[in-house]
Each structure stands twice: as C-alpha cells, then as structure tokens.
Amino acid sequence: MFGVDIENSGNLPDYYLDDELRFFLDNFTQSEIEYVINGNSEDTKKHFTCLFSMKEAIVKANNYYKPRRFNTIEITFSSEGRPMFDGFLLSYGYANNTCVAVAFLSPESM
C-alpha cells in the first residue's frame, strides 16, 4: 500500500509569524521544528511543506494514522538526510514551490 500527497508551500503559513505558531505546534513535533529551524534556515518553508506532505502520504497509505494528530506522527532523518518513519519507506521531491511525497508501507509492516 502507498500514499501520495502534493502540497504547495503557499498553503502553509510562515513560521516566523507569531500568530501562525499554533499551526506548527499542531502539525509538527518539537524535534521536527528544531530540525527544520536549526538545519535548514534558508529553506524553512520548503522543509515544513515536505514534512507536512509526507505526513499526509503516510495517512493515505495507512488509515490507522488518520485519527492521529500530525504532531504525534514524527518523521526523523538519517545522517544522510533521508526521511524515516517506522514501517514506511518515504520519498519526496520539491520544485516550483510544490512538494510531492510518497509513503510506501514496508512489506514487513503488512
């Protein structure tokens, strides 16, 4: 099973706006926020967009995650920068302010 999501970065608020902070706290874990802010400051919106899109793809691949809040679905990154979520293979691409994410349910998880 797999899920695909396409997200335009224009649909996400800007992180630095105080009145938009609730969106980020509701959709990302503290570790994800720190990863984006500390490691990718020049591409903050791009990375938040792709994280959000990967979470959408995970939910589409496995409805078990549908009732869960996005801030309880934590995507981590390998030392090479590869996104990881237990039981899934994740991939994404970003161009023209749009992120395309794919989540494949690992055969071991089926």
Side-chain angles (χ1 to χ4, degrees):
M1 297 173 42
F2 71 95
V4 177
D5 188 67
I6 301 169
E7 191 70 47
N8 186 291
S9 61
N11 293 335
L12 271 69
D14 293 319
Y15 181 75
Y16 60 84
L17 298 175
D18 289 337
D19 58 335
E20 298 292 353
L21 188 57
R22 175 78 341 211
F23 171 84
F24 293 92
L25 296 175
D26 287 345
N27 289 288
F28 303 102
T29 67
Q30 190 62 40
S31 295
E32 290 170 332
I33 292 170
E34 289 173 9
Y35 178 83
V36 172
I37 298 303
N38 294 332
N40 305 297
S41 60
E42 71 280 353
D43 291 327
T44 301
K45 195 158 191 175
K46 167 187 166 181
H47 289 281
F48 277 125
T49 302
C50 289
L51 274 172
F52 190 86
S53 191
M54 284 187 280
K55 291 179 183 207
E56 287 279 1
I58 288 167
V59 169
K60 291 174 182 177
N62 187 341
N63 283 335
Y64 166 80
Y65 296 98
K66 191 172 186 171
R68 292 184 59 188
R69 294 176 55 121
F70 271 15
N71 64 3
T72 66
I73 301 172
E74 183 170 68
I75 296 171
T76 59
F77 292 87
S78 70
S79 58
E80 297 86 25
R82 185 176 57 244
M84 300 182 303
F85 184 73
D86 194 38
F88 288 85
L89 302 172
L90 301 175
S91 183
Y92 69 92
Y94 187 88
N96 300 322
N97 298 320
T98 302
C99 184
V100 177
V102 180
F104 292 94
L105 195 57
S106 297
E108 304 87 42
S109 301
M110 299 175 117

